Amino acid sequence: VLVASIDNKIDPIGTCVGMRGIRIRAIQNELSGERIDLINYSADVSTLLMNAIAPAKANFVQITSLKDKTAVIIVPDDQLAIAIGKDWQNIKLASRLTGWNLDVKSESQKAQEGKAATENIQNVLSNIEGVGPKTAELLQKAGFTSAEKLANVEVEHLCTVQGIGDKTAAKIIEGAKKYIAQQADAASEKPSEEAAHDDNQENN
């Protein structure tokens, strides 16, 4: 149950629980011993979602879509099992309570995903003419995470990246444009190859 108070001097959870739990126990008795968890409501979505996975402690919330109400809650490694609950019960209840589609990940899982994403970006950038592994790392750290971003940047802007001069910047931009064109050509050729393969299958 989400609870809140319009008076800052009143603790909503403490008030609902009552002295030595007398109020909440009375309600539980009426519900044949049904266990009730009280969660502090917050108008701030991130705070609300972190509160909802109690008794687990969360580090932060990554909102993936406001429109679809989807978010990932990041918790310390030792809190993951608590946040998920038996048969995912805790995170499912938190989702129903808040109306958000929630997923939960540990710090280690999040770090591993971030590392994999970084490596993937650098691998793509390294395929661009004029970009080596070290330059790819510098570009990625500077926010150039795709060939499209490099193709649309001005030489002067790209020169702000450490170790990249005018000539190198111009070469990288042209290389990015060439890479995009090659990817587009490869994508257009693939359906033709698939169609030819299907024709051969039918003839056979």
Side-chain angles (χ1 to χ4, degrees), residues 27 79 103 107 115 152:
I27 297 172
Q79 295 289 301
D103 191 10
E107 290 176 325
K115 183 180 178 181
N152 295 318

Side-chain angles (χ1 to χ4, degrees), residues 1-2 37-41 45-56 58 61 73 83 89-100 102:
V1 180
L2 287 172
D37 288 330
L38 299 173
I39 307 296
N40 264 324
Y41 172 79
V45 173
S46 294
T47 302
L48 172 63
L49 298 182
M50 286 193 289
N51 289 347
I53 65 165
V61 173
I73 302 176
Q89 186 178 41
N90 194 42
I91 195 67
K92 285 178 181 177
L93 286 173
S95 295
R96 290 176 62 186
L97 181 69
T98 60
W100 280 70
L102 302 176

Side-chain angles (χ1 to χ4, degrees), residues 7-197:
D7 188 339
N8 292 333
K9 296 179 181 178
I10 296 176
D11 171 21
I13 290 181
T15 303
C16 290
V17 171
M19 185 69 71
R20 297 181 182 175
I22 189 169
R23 287 181 176 172
I24 196 71
R25 276 204 304 272
I27 297 172
Q28 288 175 319
N29 291 338
E30 290 293 329
L31 298 174
S32 302
E34 183 74 26
R35 182 177 174 181
I36 300 172
D37 288 330
L38 299 173
I39 307 296
N40 264 324
Y41 172 79
S42 175
D44 178 71
V45 173
S46 294
T47 302
L48 172 63
L49 298 182
M50 286 193 289
N51 289 347
I53 65 165
K57 306 296 183 183
N59 285 353
F60 65 92
V61 173
Q62 183 179 36
I63 295 175
T64 51
S65 174
L66 279 172
K67 181 181 178 181
D68 298 328
K69 287 191 171 184
T70 57
V72 179
I73 302 176
I74 309 303
V75 300
D77 291 358
D78 61 355
Q79 295 289 301
L80 183 61
I82 301 172
I84 293 173
K86 185 179 180 181
D87 297 325
W88 292 81
Q89 186 178 41
N90 194 42
I91 195 67
K92 285 178 181 177
L93 286 173
S95 295
R96 290 176 62 186
L97 181 69
T98 60
W100 280 70
N101 294 314
L102 302 176
D103 191 10
V104 60
K105 294 180 181 178
S106 68
E107 290 176 325
S108 296
Q109 290 173 331
K110 184 65 178 174
Q112 190 62 35
E113 287 181 359
K115 183 180 178 181
T118 296
E119 290 176 352
N120 184 55
I121 290 169
Q122 291 180 11
N123 286 337
V124 170
L125 296 180
S126 295
N127 289 323
I128 297 173
E129 188 177 339
V131 179
K134 187 175 181 180
T135 303
E137 183 179 353
L138 292 172
L139 290 170
Q140 185 268 329
K141 288 180 178 179
F144 295 103
T145 54
S146 68
E148 287 74 17
K149 286 187 176 182
L150 287 173
N152 295 318
V153 74
E154 297 293 333
V155 171
E156 294 79 10
H157 189 185
L158 195 55
C159 286
T160 60
V161 178
Q162 182 183 1
I164 297 180
D166 291 351
K167 291 182 179 180
T168 302
K171 185 177 180 180
I172 290 173
I173 293 170
E174 287 304 312
K177 292 177 180 178
K178 184 178 177 181
Y179 176 81
I180 293 171
Q182 289 172 342
Q183 294 299 305
D185 289 342
S188 63
E189 289 174 3
K190 190 173 182 180
S192 299
E193 291 175 358
E194 290 177 351
H197 177 72

